[in-house]
Amino acid sequence: MTVPPLDFGPQTLVIARLAEAVTDDRLGNATPCPEHTVRNMLGHLLGLSVAFRDAARKDLGPTTDTPPTDSVPDIGPGWREELPKTLDELAEAWRDPAAWTGMTRAGGVDLPAEIAAAVAIDELVIHGWDLARAVGLPYDPDPAALQASYDFLRASAEDPSRDAIFGPIVPVPQDASLLDRAVGLSGRDPGWTP
C-alpha cells in the first residue's frame, strides 16, 4: 500500500474547529451520550486521539491497553492546546501506509490495523456530531470520513454483540441524510437536542 485509503486530516480539523468554538460555559452541557457532559466528550476525544495515534504507530502500552469504559474522561487545564495538537498527530500517524497493515491494539483489544482505523474515524465522526449537538453548533463532517463511518456502522449492524458497543439502532427514514443514517446506526436519535 503506497497511499492510505483515507486521510484523517479533514475530519480531525472539523473536530479541532468545533472544540475551539466551545465556550467554558458550555462544558457542563448534556450530550447525546447520557453519561458524558461536553467536558467528558472533549476528554474522550482527547483520549481516543492519543490511543488511536499510538495504535497507528504500533506504540502499544498504557494508552492502547485501557478500555474506554474504565473511567469517565475529563479535560485538564491545557486541553485547548492539547486537543488540536493530538488530533494533528493522529491524522499524521494514519498517513503512514504502515499504520494500515498488520495488527495493533486500541481500548485493550487486539485488532487488524485497518479495523482500528475504521473504529477511529467512526469515533471522530459520531462524537463530532455529539459535540456539535450538545453546544448547538452546525456540523459538517468530512464527506470521506462520514462515508467510512457509515460503512463501518452498517457492517456492524449485523453483529449480534453490537448493541453492547453502540446501543440499539435508531430507525431513520430511508431518504434521511447520510449523517442521520450513520447517527441512527450508532444508536443515537438524529433529532436529539439538549
Side-chain angles (χ1 to χ4, degrees), residues 10-11 19 30 38 51 62 70 74 85 87 104 106 112 124 134 137 164 169 181:
Q11 183 60 26
V38 167
D70 273 10
D74 202 352
K85 176 181 176 289
L87 286 165
T104 192
L124 291 171
L137 292 170
I169 292 171
R181 286 182 282 148

Side-chain angles (χ1 to χ4, degrees), residues 32 126 153 162 166-170 181-190:
I126 298 301
L153 290 164
R162 68 150 267 129
F166 301 110
I169 292 171
V170 175
R181 286 182 282 148
V183 166
L185 285 171
S186 77
R188 291 158 171 80
D189 176 0

